[in-house]
Amino acid sequence: MNLTRNPALIDQLAASYALGTLRGGARRRFEELARTHASVRAAALIWQGRMASVTELQAQQAPSPAVWKRIENLVQADKQARAMQAARQAPAAGAGTGWWASLGLWRGATAAGAMAAVVAVVTGLNLNTALNGQVRELSARLAATPEIRYVAVLADDKAAPAVLVTYDPKHSQLQLKHVGQFHPGPDKSLQLWALPQGGGPKSLGVLGEGTVIRLPAGSSDVNNVPALALSLEPRGGVPAGSGPSGPVLFKGALLQTAL
């Protein structure tokens, strides 16, 4: 089977690879395939990014004091129940004595049970409030999650990946993530170019500082564009309307994907 012609299977393998469930020979074969096919390499990088962002959905929190109080009340109620069980099994000492006449024990057990019920209700309300807040936060994050329509891995002439490019039509945005160690220097900039089938290169923007760069782009900027490239230019890039003036350092096919 030619895996490169089966995007759904590549997606599943990339997810397993990022999760760490793809092991042994299968993991080695996937890594070998990723080294020689840009689409497989891109899928692996995308899933690794997704797994890295999962931990951001929920910040670590210590249990609230109400939780610890509920545990303490439950422990006390359990002790009271054990005491009542022991008293029930002991012989009666007289008409006015013994467990049946121990009203204080009944009252204590009733109070402990009532307190545990109150704490459970209050704790439940607090948990529901926190859960509703988490749901709203997760919904906002999902609304901001990019929709990846195109992907490209820009590599050097030795096929070493340098930049992962994804296009999000929902937000009309290109995202470029550095996956290599290249730095243009203080007086240079990397400029992104679309390489259409006909005509000269078209500038899509100049990369700024940072590991992740976002550039505005419309669907017409990437539709029917077979490849992208990065050239090394004077700081700030070349003037609008002109082509690359410096060397093209990285390039790669722009692939439409269902990931």
Side-chain angles (χ1 to χ4, degrees):
M1 178 186 295
N2 190 343
L3 293 180
T4 59
R5 297 181 180 177
N6 193 332
L9 182 55
I10 289 177
D11 187 41
Q12 293 176 7
L13 291 173
S16 298
Y17 181 82
L19 287 168
T21 56
L22 190 67
R23 300 176 180 175
R27 188 176 185 87
R28 290 191 294 272
R29 287 192 294 272
F30 181 81
E31 290 173 343
E32 182 178 354
L33 193 65
R35 282 192 289 269
T36 56
H37 292 83
S39 59
V40 180
R41 194 158 59 240
L45 291 170
I46 289 171
W47 271 106
Q48 287 172 349
R50 287 173 175 171
M51 292 299 102
S53 64
V54 167
T55 56
E56 300 175 1
L57 294 177
Q58 177 61 54
Q60 294 184 355
Q61 293 182 354
S64 68
V67 174
W68 292 115
K69 187 63 178 177
R70 182 186 180 193
I71 294 174
E72 180 183 349
N73 287 331
L74 291 175
V75 171
Q76 292 298 328
D78 182 67
K79 289 181 179 179
Q80 294 283 358
R82 290 177 182 273
M84 287 189 292
Q85 181 67 23
R88 185 186 296 114
Q89 295 175 354
T97 62
W99 179 77
W100 292 102
S102 183
L103 296 178
L105 186 60
W106 276 103
R107 291 166 182 167
T110 302
M115 180 61 69
V118 170
V119 171
V121 171
V122 173
T123 303
L125 291 174
N126 290 337
L127 289 176
N128 285 336
T129 301
L131 181 59
N132 290 335
Q134 293 173 9
V135 169
R136 287 193 296 269
E137 180 183 357
L138 181 57
S139 298
R141 286 179 179 270
L142 290 176
T145 299
E147 174 190 334
I148 298 174
R149 183 70 56 82
Y150 289 94
V151 62
V153 177
L154 306 187
D156 60 18
D157 55 1
K158 296 181 180 179
V163 176
L164 172 67
V165 184
T166 55
Y167 176 66
D168 173 16
K170 183 168 67 174
H171 299 94
S172 299
Q173 182 175 261
L174 283 163
Q175 177 175 288
L176 297 89
K177 181 177 182 181
H178 287 281
V179 294
Q181 302 299 322
F182 179 82
H183 297 284
D187 59 341
K188 299 289 184 179
S189 295
L190 289 174
Q191 190 160 357
L192 181 66
W193 302 89
L195 305 179
Q197 292 179 345
K202 176 184 177 182
S203 176
L204 296 178
V206 178
L207 278 62
E209 301 294 333
T211 304
V212 179
I213 298 96
R214 295 174 175 84
L215 300 174
S219 297
S220 60
D221 294 323
V222 294
N223 286 343
N224 301 317
V225 172
L228 300 177
L230 281 171
S231 65
L232 186 64
E233 304 294 346
R235 188 167 183 82
V238 298
S242 59
S245 65
V248 174
L249 300 182
F250 311 107
K251 60 183 177 180
L254 182 62
L255 307 172
Q256 189 170 4
T257 176
L259 297 178

